[in-house]
């Protein structure tokens, strides 16, 4: 007990001095002043710990980021308002506790009071919190209403969540619609950066497996896990409407700098909007924010906000590109490729699309991600192999609509002939298309 | 509040633990049975069902032995008035928990009917789902044609269901007569009315069974029939399960009346059974209105 | 012959292991609950340690993502259903009959049943985890909230076993709750009016009501999962007119009251401890009762605050925001009452009091962050980040768990008849206090900075904080082993405890000798 009072005294020797001499046990003006005093004091840690970010204007790694849009700023200020209210309330409550812990300890020279109710104060501390809540609710309501208003947007993008990547489809821009632009956006961080953690920066530079050699490949950069192969492009100064849905489980599309996250729910559509102001062109990153299975932590979001001109330019180019691609794919559909071509394409595509789960060396991560080395599928009848790639199974996604026939053919060929699987057979695009609708 | 000076605390009993063990066996058996029949896992397709049956048999026998003890205590005059109140309260709260179980399914019905289906059909706050995802789906209730195009027929309220309603309601009346009779311990009258109640209950079950048969074979209304089929069968099914249990309880009570277990002022078990039956009654009325009728 | 049967019951009571399997004694059952809960705390904690070890540094070092999800899921489930809830039921079993002058729980056999279901229910869960260790197939990996369709269409085979184990837990909790309610309403000693009961009984009465009201709903929703998985229903499938969000509505209709089930008894414990060591009657007893009741009532109309990002219509979001904020008022009343109870008391700082004071302060921090979460627009940023994780660990660990520790230290002498080793106990307190804040406070920061929950690997700006969090985690974990030592030492022996144990302790439980004899109040005491 003594030890403990000591420690309290040490913590508050200032308080102790304050009370050493004239401690009265009636609530006097002096005391009420002292309480407020102590309140602030006792929460120094609390305030200090949290207040730092309060002054950090830009993206901090202690506090919510103000973000770039009007909404995100409103949200940020709501957050700060709430935060300071909480600090204040904490100060009062903890101050009072600390005060009586110090001043009302058991002492030989005094005994406990025995009051045990006081309707007046009880009403006070019911009503005041209620009023505080109303003060909090008003701005919150305002912001919420504006967040829900998706009217008069100029660009509409349909975002579909897949395990574990995002699919973006541009529906209409101003008068132009339909736009023929749609693409998947995958994690771009190479697997061996994830699996062989190497850091030279930070508090604890770690070099987990005595790694030497090409750091540029394996050392984590600042966009580690936040970089994608194909970012979604939006124009600045335009109200962009996102239509969110999902192809499998629930995902959640979140870019902190835009100030919201919204769930992508299979079978339903959620509408949200953002408007990146002119002058704020740049890249904004986010992550999937709803547990969606094994690689939930690895489906980042990358939004590139560009000027209106650049955007229109990009629209034109990429819709052209996509039409070409389509023709290309159509052309490839019944073309016959050589083993070399297939293996070469297969390897690169495998590393990009499959290695995340089945690993670069095909060993997988059993039991969830089976190994392909000598496996029933990869060395058994080719039809089964094609079917599972086309239509998926359990955790394995269906790639029928995700990859052109040529790519699927190449990947399958590669899987059947890499890592000593040497089955020797070759799969052509027409083989995979043949089994597309079973 | 207590007035009696001692409250009978039963001595050690093996039945609770045994029942718990059997519950475990049942759960395990049920899970593996289900998996075998839906081929989720490729474990050898035999054991599960046997485990399940073993578990159920176990539970039933434990319950029998457990209740036998309590019956003996009650007949042995160990149950003070206060103990009687404990049992009553216990039963009442148990029934409340049953009510909440049904609430979950009614909630599912109301939510899909008033929110999900209209949204999918292009109405209300999230109606855009139709334009983008289900272009040729129309919201309707009962949901006889589904977003993915499957179709079924809806169950009509004024045929068998209406008859069933009548059956249950009248059974409730006869049970009440029996209940009054027990207060004057007019045994023949009790047995008669209780018997009629049981009879009506059984007929109800037969009608229900026929209705299901009809639904499955003529109407294509099955568990697979979208949210309408799901809510229809889960609600009526769980109700049916409770009617069955209720009927069994009443049968046991009938035997116990016949054996002269009850007296005019000590017949908690009878009242518990009666409460349970009335609860099943009320659920049905609610169910008839929202599932069949409206 | 029936009398014979009963006599047969009365004579030769089984001993040894059978004694524990067959007992109908509230003290023995209470002890079993408490040991079970502590075991589960260690198991769930072990999973937490796996989580923390993986998250110590960026990159995947120890466990693969899918196994990480299994750890997160089982950690949450085991801590909530295995550690916290049984602990409170155990305390209720031990203390409520003592507090109201009852000979035992009202339905002793049911009581035994409620307990013994639990080990079976959890063995199902734990078997699936061991199976996963052995590579036989995944344990549940969809989070303790098991949202559809991740848990239906995409759930691993073990999901079906999980579903049935949840059914069993439900039965156990409901029967336990029925027992508590009946005991409190029907077995109070003459003169023990409702408004004379210790607040612990009141909070448990209301908790039990919540349990009976929401556990069946949980049973209902897992049943829907089962039929969606195997019998072709489409509750959570839009293609058949269902809605994945329906799952969340039903789950949280259970889930939110559930979190108050985990805190109301804590309020009760703290409300009995603070007056004892402040040597001053509890301030505002009546308002405490009404506050508890209104918290319970409100807990039924706030569930969608867990679903602010699923795209509810505007009115829905507004309604649930306002209702959620309202809960701050009755909770505030409680906090203020505790402060007022200490105010101008004559306070000493025995270990139960230390934990109680820490509870009031740290729970309030958790509550205040909860209030921030209640602000719907802000929650668009907070949701599913570590800010939420910080919030609920403050209310659960420094809230529920701390109150359980406080209660355990408060009543240990009554249970064992010995005082515990105060030095060790204080060490336990201070180690826990410091490490728990190192563990959970920085989670606010990484959360606000944008670190999502349920991820095994994170981008670099979160790196250093996560290192410290993990250190705090290990430290807190090890500190709990001190507790284990204290308890065992205390059971083994130590300074004899008086009947009153604590100077200034009020209430019937302190009138019976320590250790409390197996049978107490066989003839009810009369309260003046
Ligand atoms: C013991 C458990 C417990 C308790 C008591 C609480 C209490 C509260 N919780 Fe919490 N909560 C959880 C356990 C708990 N919570 C869990 C486990 C989750 C996560 C689930 C998951 O997703 O896995 C969660 C998540 C959660 C969310 C969802 C966050 C998200 O996922 O986006 C929200 C949002 O509103 C919330 C709010 C609140 C509020 C307002 C309270 C209030 O009851 C707090 C009231 C208390 C105070 C406010 C402090 C004391 C009051 C005063 C000092 C008076 C003065 C105050 C004012 C005037 C403001 N909680
Ligand atoms: C009452 C409930 C409760 C309790 C007590 C705890 C206790 C702890 N919790 Fe957790 N937690 C939850 C309820 C709880 N938690 C819930 C509901 C979730 C959400 C799950 C989900 O997202 O679905 C969660 C999620 C959760 C996460 C987020 C996981 C994720 O999002 O991926 C983390 C991460 O750090 C965490 C950590 C901890 C730690 C370090 C403790 C520590 O307090 C544990 C300390 C205890 C021990 C360590 C055991 C005792 C000691 C030993 C066994 C000796 C061995 C010790 C060592 C080797 C050091 N918990
Ligand atoms: Cu997608 Cu998480
Ligand atoms: Cu909640």
């Amino acid at each position: 007990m003594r030890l403990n009072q000591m420690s309290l005294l040490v913590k508050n020797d200032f308080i102790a001095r304050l009370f050493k001499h004239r401690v009265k046990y009636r609530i006097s003006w002096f005391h009420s002043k002292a309480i407020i005093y102590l309140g602030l004091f006792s929460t120094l840690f609390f305030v200090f710990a949290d207040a730092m970010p309060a002054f950090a204007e830009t993206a901090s790694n202690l506090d919510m980021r103000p973000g770039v849009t009007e909404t995100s700023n409103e949200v940020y200020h709501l957050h700060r308002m709430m935060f300071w209210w909480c600090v204040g309330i904490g100060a009062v409550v903890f101050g009072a506790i600390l005060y009586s812990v110090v001043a009302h300890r058991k002492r030989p020279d005094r005994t406990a009071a025995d009051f045990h109710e006081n309707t007046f104060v009880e009403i006070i501390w019911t009503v005041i919190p209620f009023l505080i809540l109303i003060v909090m609710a008003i701005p919150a309501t305002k912001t919420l209403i504006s967040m829900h208003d998706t009217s008069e947007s100029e660009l509409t993008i349909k975002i579909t969540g897949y395990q574990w990547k995002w699919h973006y489809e541009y529906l209409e821009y101003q008068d132009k619609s339909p736009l023929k632009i749609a693409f998947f956006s995958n994690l771009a961080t190479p697997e061996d950066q994830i699996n062989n953690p190497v850091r030279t920066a930070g508090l604890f530079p770690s070099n987990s497996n005595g790694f030497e050699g090409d750091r540029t490949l394996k050392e984590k950069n600042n966009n580690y896990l936040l970089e994608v192969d194909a970012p979604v492009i939006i124009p600045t100064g335009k109200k962009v409407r996102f239509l969110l849905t999902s192809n499998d489980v629930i995902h959640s599309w979140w870019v902190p700098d835009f100030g919201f996250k919204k769930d992508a729910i299979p079978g339903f559509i959620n509408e949200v909007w953002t408007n990146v102001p002119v002058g704020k062109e740049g890249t904004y990153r986010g992550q999937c924010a709803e547990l969606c299975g094994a690689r939930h932590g690895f489906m980042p979001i990358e939004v590139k906000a560009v000027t209106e001109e650049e955007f229109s330019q990009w629209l034109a180019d990429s819709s052209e590109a996509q039409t070409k691609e389509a023709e290309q794919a159509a052309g490839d559909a019944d073309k016959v490729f050589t083993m070399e071509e297939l293996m070469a394409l297969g390897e690169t595509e495998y590393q990009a699309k499959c290695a995340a789960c089945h690993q670069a060396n095909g060993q997988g991560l059993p039991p969830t991600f089976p190994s392909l080395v000598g496996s029933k599928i990869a060395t058994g009848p080719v039809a089964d192999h094609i079917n599972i790639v086309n239509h998926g199974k359990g955790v394995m996604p269906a790639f029928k609509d995700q990859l052109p026939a040529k790519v699927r053919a190449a990947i399958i060929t590669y899987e059947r002939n890499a890592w000593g699987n040497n089955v020797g057979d070759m799969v052509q695009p027409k083989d995979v298309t043949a089994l597309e609708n079973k | 509040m207590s007035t009696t000076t001692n409250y009978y605390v039963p001595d050690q009993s093996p039945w609770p633990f045994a029942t718990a063990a059997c519950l475990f066996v049942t759960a395990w058996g049920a899970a593996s049975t289900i998996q075998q029949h839906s081929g989720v896992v490729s474990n050898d397709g035999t054991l599960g069902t046997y485990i399940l049956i073993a578990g159920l048999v176990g539970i039933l026998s434990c319950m029998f032995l457990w209740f036998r003890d309590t019956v003996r205590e009650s007949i042995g005059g160990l149950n003070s008035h206060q103990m009687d109140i404990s049992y009553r309260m216990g039963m009442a709260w148990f029934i409340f928990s049953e009510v909440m179980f049904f609430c979950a399914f009614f909630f599912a019905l109301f939510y899909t009917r008033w929110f999900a289906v209209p949204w999918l059909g292009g109405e209300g706050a999230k109606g855009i789902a139709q334009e983008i995802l289900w272009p040729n789906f129309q919201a309707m209730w009962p949901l006889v044609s589904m977003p993915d195009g499957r179709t079924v027929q809806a169950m009509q309220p004024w045929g068998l269901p209406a008859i069933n309603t009548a059956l249950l309601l009248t059974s409730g009346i006869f049970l009440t007569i029996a209940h009054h009779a027990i207060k004057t311990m007019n045994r023949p009258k009790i047995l008669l009315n209780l018997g009629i109640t049981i009879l009506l209950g059984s007929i109800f079950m037969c009608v229900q069974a026929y209705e299901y048969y009809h639904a499955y074979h003529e109407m294509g209304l099955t568990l697979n029939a979208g949210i309408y089929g799901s809510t229809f069968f889960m609600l009526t099914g769980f109700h049916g399960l409770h009617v069955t249990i209720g009927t069994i309880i009443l049968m046991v009570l009938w035997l116990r009346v016949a054996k002269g277990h009850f007296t005019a002022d000590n017949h908690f078990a009878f009242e518990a059974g009666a409460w349970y039956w009335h609860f099943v009654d009320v659920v049905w009325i609610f169910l008839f209105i929202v599932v069949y009728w409206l | 012959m029936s009398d014979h049967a009963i006599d047969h019951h009365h004579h030769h009571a089984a001993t040894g292991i059978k004694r524990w399997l067959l007992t109908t004694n509230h003290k023995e059952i209470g002890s079993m609950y408490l040991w079970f809960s502590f075991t589960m705390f260690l198991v769930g904690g072990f999973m937490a340690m796996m989580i923390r070890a993986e998250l110590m540094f960026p990159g995947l070092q120890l466990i693969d993502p899918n196994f990480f999800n299994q750890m997160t899921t089982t950690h949450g489930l085991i801590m909530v259903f295995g550690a916290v809830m049984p602990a409170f039921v155990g305390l209720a079993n031990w203390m409520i009959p003592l507090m109201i002058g009852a000979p035992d729980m009202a339905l002793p056999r049911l009581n035994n049943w409620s307990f013994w279901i639990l080990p079976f229910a959890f063995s199902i869960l734990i078997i699936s985890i061991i199976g996963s260790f052995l590579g036989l197939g995944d344990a549940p990996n969809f989070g303790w909230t098991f949202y559809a369709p991740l848990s239906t269409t995409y759930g691993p085979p073990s999901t079906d076993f999980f579903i049935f184990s949840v059914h069993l837990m439900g039965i156990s909790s409901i029967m336990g709750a029925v027992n508590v309610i009946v005991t409190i309403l029907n077995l109070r000693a003459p003169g023990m009016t409702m408004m004379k009961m210790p607040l612990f009984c009141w909070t448990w009465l209301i908790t039990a009501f919540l349990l009976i009201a929401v556990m069946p709903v949980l049973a209902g929703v897992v049943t829907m999962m089962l039929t969606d998985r195997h019998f072709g229903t489409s509750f959570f499938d839009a293609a058949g007119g269902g809605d994945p969000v329906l799952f969340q509505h039903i789950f949280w209709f259970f889930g939110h009251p559930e979190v108050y089930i985990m805190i109301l008894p804590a309020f009760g414990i703290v409300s009995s401890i603070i007056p004892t060591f402040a040597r001053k009657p509890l301030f505002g007893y009546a308002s405490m009762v009404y506050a508890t009741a209104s918290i319970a009532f409100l807990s039924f109309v706030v569930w969608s605050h867990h679903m602010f990002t699923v795209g509810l219509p505007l009115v829905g979001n507004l309604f649930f925001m306002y209702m959620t904020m309202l809960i701050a008022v009755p909770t505030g009343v409680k906090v203020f009452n505790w402060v007022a109870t200490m105010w101008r008391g004559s306070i000493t700082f025995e270990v139960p009091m230390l934990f109680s004071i820490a509870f009031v302060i740290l729970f309030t921090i958790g509550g205040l962050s909860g209030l921030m979460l209640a602000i719907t627009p802000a929650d668009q940023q907070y949701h599913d980040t570590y800010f939420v994780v910080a919030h609920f660990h403050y209310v659960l660990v420094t809230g529920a768990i701390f109150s359980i520790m406080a209660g355990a230290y408060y009543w240990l002498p009554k249970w064992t008849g010995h005082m515990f080793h105060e030095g060790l106990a204080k060490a336990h307190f201070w180690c826990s206090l410091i490490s728990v804040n190192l563990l959970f406070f920085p989670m606010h920061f990484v959360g606000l900075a944008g670190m999502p929950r349920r991820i095994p690997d994170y981008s670099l700006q979160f790196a250093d904080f996560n290192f410290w969090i993990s250190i705090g985690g290990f430290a807190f974990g090890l500190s709990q082993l001190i507790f284990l030592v204290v308890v065992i030492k205390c059971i083994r022996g130590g300074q004899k405890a008086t009947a009153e144990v604590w100077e200034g302790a009020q209430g019937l439980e302190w009138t019976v000798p320590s250790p409390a004899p197996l049978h107490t109040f066989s003839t009810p005491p009369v309260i003046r």
Side-chain angles (χ1 to χ4, degrees), chain A residues 172-362:
Chain A
E172 61 199 53
Y173 181 50
Q174 286 154 344
D175 47 5
K176 286 191 293 303
S177 103
L179 309 168
K180 290 190 296 328
I181 302 180
F183 54 88
F184 280 95
S185 172
N186 299 283
L187 173 72
T189 304
E191 282 307 307
D192 38 12
Q193 245 186 59
I194 297 170
N195 295 323
N196 321 321
V198 174
R199 288 175 66 219
T200 47
L203 190 53
F204 293 90
S206 68
N207 186 338
S208 64
N209 39 15
F211 175 80
E212 296 308 331
D214 180 7
R215 286 192 172 283
T216 54
L217 175 63
K218 303 198 170 186
E219 178 164 357
K220 298 177 175 20
N221 62 11
N222 287 342
N223 300 330
Y224 174 67
L225 293 185
L226 297 177
E227 52 207 343
V228 302
D229 54 7
V232 52
I233 314 284
I234 60 168
T236 53
K238 298 255 171 285
K239 187 168 184 177
V240 183
R241 185 174 67 139
F242 301 107
L243 301 181
L244 280 152
T245 185
S246 166
N247 177 57
D248 34 50
V249 302
I250 300 177
H251 305 264
S252 188
W253 198 82
W254 180 35
V255 176
D257 283 319
F258 295 170
F260 67 81
K261 66 172 65 70
K262 204 59 147 193
D263 293 3
I265 295 159
F268 289 81
I269 296 281
N270 271 334
E271 291 181 75
V272 275
W273 63 275
T274 191
N275 188 342
V276 180
V278 180
K280 294 279 186 185
E281 291 76 13
T283 300
Y284 301 105
R285 301 171 190 279
Q287 276 172 281
C288 175
E290 180 62 58
L291 178 61
C292 54
R295 295 189 56 87
H296 156 62
F298 305 89
M299 55 183 292
I301 298 157
E302 193 176 325
V303 182
K304 216 153 141 255
V306 298
T307 61
E308 190 179 352
E309 300 69 34
E310 293 176 59
F311 181 72
S312 326
Q313 189 50 46
W314 175 82
L315 267 188
D317 301 354
S318 44
S319 48
E320 200 172 302
Q322 293 229 331
T323 17
K324 274 216 187 65
E325 245 173 55
E327 290 157 1
Q328 177 72 27
D332 292 338
D334 36 25
K335 208 189 269 155
V336 174
F337 297 89
T338 69
M339 192 68 173
E340 289 63 38
E341 289 171 312
L342 288 170
M343 286 301 278
L345 178 64
E347 173 150 27
T348 42
E349 289 293 337
Y350 175 89
Q351 297 304 349
K353 304 288 188 321
C354 320
C357 300
H358 294 292
Q359 306 300 304
N361 57 9

Side-chain angles (χ1 to χ4, degrees), chain B:
Chain B
M1 188 195 312
S2 159
T3 46
T4 43
T5 48
N6 64 25
Y7 185 90
Y8 171 63
V9 177
D11 232 313
Q12 297 176 324
S13 159
W15 313 131
F17 178 81
T19 318
C22 298
L23 269 177
F24 171 76
V25 177
T26 313
W28 194 271
S32 20
T33 309
I34 286 173
Q35 294 200 336
Q36 287 153 14
H37 294 312
S38 61
V40 169
V41 288
S42 51
N43 59 0
D44 73 290
T46 52
L47 266 175
T49 324
Y50 296 122
I51 303 178
L52 177 58
I53 292 167
L56 291 171
V57 173
I59 292 182
L60 288 177
S61 15
C62 290
M63 284 172 74
F64 174 76
L65 295 161
W66 186 340
F67 287 140
R68 193 185 59 178
D69 284 358
T70 52
V71 170
R72 285 177 177 168
E73 285 155 14
S74 135
I75 295 169
L78 292 165
N79 293 8
S80 59
H81 170 64
Q82 189 183 13
M83 169 74 92
D84 199 51
I85 298 178
S86 292
Y87 280 140
R88 285 163 199 278
M89 287 182 169
M91 187 64 190
W93 285 105
F94 169 70
I95 290 179
F96 173 57
S97 76
E98 290 268 44
V99 172
M100 291 310 293
F101 180 77
F102 276 94
C103 283
F105 291 89
F106 279 113
F107 184 97
L109 174 66
F110 293 135
Y111 176 84
T112 46
R113 177 173 180 167
W114 291 336
F115 295 101
V117 170
W119 286 339
L120 292 166
E123 301 158 20
K126 299 176 72 177
I128 188 168
Q130 189 217 29
E131 176 191 335
I132 306 282
L133 299 170
W134 313 102
N136 33 31
F137 170 65
Q138 286 301 323
M140 65 185 86
W141 195 270
L143 184 65
V144 290
S145 85
M146 283 153 250
D148 62 5
R150 288 173 289 163
T151 60
V152 293
Q153 294 174 35
M155 191 54 80
Q156 293 311 319
W158 296 118
L160 300 175
I163 297 172
N164 261 352
T165 314
L167 285 172
L168 270 193
L169 288 180
T170 37
S171 77
I173 298 169
F174 282 103
L175 186 58
T176 317
I177 299 175
H179 192 173
H180 285 296
I182 206 169
K183 295 214 174 82
T184 58
M185 219 40 220
N186 175 345
R187 194 177 295 172
K189 193 173 170 197
I190 307 171
L191 290 175
L192 175 67
N193 291 284
L194 193 50
I196 299 176
T197 315
I198 295 168
L199 188 69
L200 293 172
S202 322
I203 302 175
F204 174 95
M205 283 315 295
C206 302
V207 177
Q208 188 82 358
Y210 174 75
E211 184 189 78
Y212 278 13
Y213 179 88
H214 181 68
Y216 261 80
H217 293 82
E218 276 100 73
M219 303 168 65
L221 176 56
T222 69
L223 272 173
N224 297 315
I227 193 64
Y228 175 65
S230 312
T231 47
F232 174 83
F233 281 107
M234 293 301 269
L235 277 163
T236 55
F238 271 114
H239 176 266
L241 183 69
H242 283 72
V243 176
T244 320
I245 297 170
T247 319
I248 295 170
I249 295 179
L250 293 184
M251 289 174 177
V252 175
L253 290 174
W254 195 89
L255 290 175
R256 291 191 60 194
V257 174
K259 288 184 78 193
H261 279 181
F262 300 119
T263 67
D265 49 14
N266 177 7
H267 51 263
F268 156 73
F270 186 94
E271 295 202 336
W275 290 350
Y276 194 82
W277 192 258
H278 290 309
F279 146 71
V280 174
D281 251 0
V282 175
V283 172
W284 174 264
I285 294 169
F286 198 57
L287 200 147
F288 177 73
I289 296 172
V290 298
V291 175
Y292 289 95
W293 186 3
L294 300 181

